[in-house]
């Protein structure tokens, strides 16, 4: 299942969430920190850093293809290529 590291108040995360919903995709949302950078979930924040290497959201992980992406536009492109 797709995993999205995101923040509720982040407009870039919202763009990805809405696109995933429009495509009818199931995903798990992780909220490691706020849009402003305040860590809210230490475990999810550590996973974000371990998996991607950066404290940047949104971050998509696709375990099926072993792919991951930062940046909302790149994530949307990836979703369109593989799931549309």
């Amino acid at each position: 299942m797709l995993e999205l590291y995101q923040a509720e108040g982040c407009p870039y995360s919202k763009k990805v969430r809405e696109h995933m919903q429009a495509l009818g995709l199931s995903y798990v949302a992780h909220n490691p920190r706020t849009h402003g950078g305040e860590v809210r979930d230490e475990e999810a924040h550590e996973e974000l850093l371990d998996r991607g290497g950066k404290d940047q959201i949104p971050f998509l992980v696709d375990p099926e293809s072993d792919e991951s992406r930062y940046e909302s536009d790149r994530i949307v492109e990836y979703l369109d290529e593989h799931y549309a």
Side-chain angles (χ1 to χ4, degrees), residues 13-24:
S13 295
K14 180 180 179 182
K15 176 180 179 176
V16 173
R17 282 194 316 268
E18 288 178 348
H19 196 71
M20 292 175 82
Q21 291 168 351
L23 292 174

Side-chain angles (χ1 to χ4, degrees), residues 26-64:
S26 296
Y27 65 96
V28 175
H30 302 283
N31 295 286
R33 64 176 179 79
T34 65
H35 179 57
E38 181 184 341
V39 175
R40 294 284 175 99
D41 182 335
E42 288 286 341
E43 185 176 330
H45 191 253
E46 285 299 317
E47 288 174 8
L48 169 65
L49 295 174
D50 288 345
R51 290 177 126 177
K54 296 192 269 186
D55 182 14
Q56 181 178 331
I57 53 174
F59 178 63
L60 178 77
V61 176
D62 185 347
E64 295 294 319

